[in-house]
Amino acid sequence: MQCSTVVNKITDDVWLSDIDTVRFADKSQFDQILTVCQDCIYDNVSSDTEYHCFNIADDEESAENWGGSFRYPLFEEAALTLLRGLRDDSISASLIHCHRGANRSVAVCAASMGCYYGKTYEQCYDMIKSVRDVANPNDIMEGHAKRFITERQ
């Protein structure tokens, strides 16, 4: 399982990474941090930072083994939170991560960016993939991202 071990700048407002990197990285530049996997990092986030943890599983097997949900409503909640951060002038930079920074965080990021910038899922995914080579959402997360954008166009 390959991880990137860096925090990647996707846009001026959105950064993406994996959980281990985020645990130990300097997070002082971020006003909002979103975890979209089964492990939260409350203990590694300053009280000055808006923190959200969404217990999103990769798929049904992952949900059965480690908890969480792979269903659309939780994905939608996470994507709406990131989208609100993009629209909020008081939040200058958001950091989103999952375990590897490859599946769930990429899909949520692409969904929110698609709505915010008026782009397709594919355009947003390509932006992310150009700076984060491990980006590779599974079919479930990709489907959720496309649905999120389609429902808001």
Side-chain angles (χ1 to χ4, degrees):
M1 197 183 293
Q2 179 186 7
C3 291
S4 179
T5 69
V6 297
V7 179
N8 298 104
K9 179 179 179 179
I10 309 303
T11 69
D12 288 339
D13 302 325
V14 180
W15 299 66
L16 198 147
S17 194
D18 63 274
I19 194 167
D20 288 332
T21 299
V22 172
R23 276 193 175 118
F24 302 107
D26 175 12
K27 296 174 278 299
S28 61
Q29 74 190 65
F30 303 108
D31 301 306
Q32 180 184 59
I33 297 175
L34 287 81
T35 297
V36 290
C37 61
Q38 289 111 323
D39 291 323
C40 293
I41 60 163
Y42 293 106
D43 54 336
N44 297 105
V45 178
S46 165
S47 60
D48 297 336
T49 304
E50 184 178 310
Y51 179 67
H52 305 274
C53 184
F54 300 95
N55 194 0
I56 299 177
D58 286 316
D59 51 32
E60 187 173 4
E61 181 181 349
S62 174
E64 288 174 7
N65 290 331
W66 295 288
S69 174
F70 64 96
R71 305 280 183 208
Y72 181 73
L74 187 58
F75 179 96
E76 180 182 39
E77 184 181 350
L80 283 170
T81 300
L82 182 56
L83 182 57
R84 277 191 298 273
L86 287 167
R87 291 177 174 160
D88 185 342
D89 290 338
S90 70
I91 297 177
S92 60
S94 296
L95 170 61
I96 183 168
H97 74 92
C98 57
H99 277 283
R100 290 182 45 233
N103 181 22
R104 294 161 286 189
S105 57
V106 171
V108 170
C109 186
S112 300
M113 287 173 48
C115 292
Y116 185 70
Y117 294 110
K119 296 186 179 285
T120 66
Y121 167 80
E122 289 78 10
Q123 290 170 317
C124 294
Y125 171 74
D126 288 345
M127 285 174 59
I128 296 166
K129 183 74 171 175
S130 72
V131 296
R132 189 155 184 89
D133 63 346
V134 298
N136 188 27
N138 67 23
D139 291 342
I140 294 168
M141 295 299 132
E142 183 177 305
H144 290 343
K146 289 178 178 179
R147 176 180 172 184
F148 185 85
I149 294 168
T150 299
E151 288 178 350
R152 285 157 183 81
Q153 289 180 332

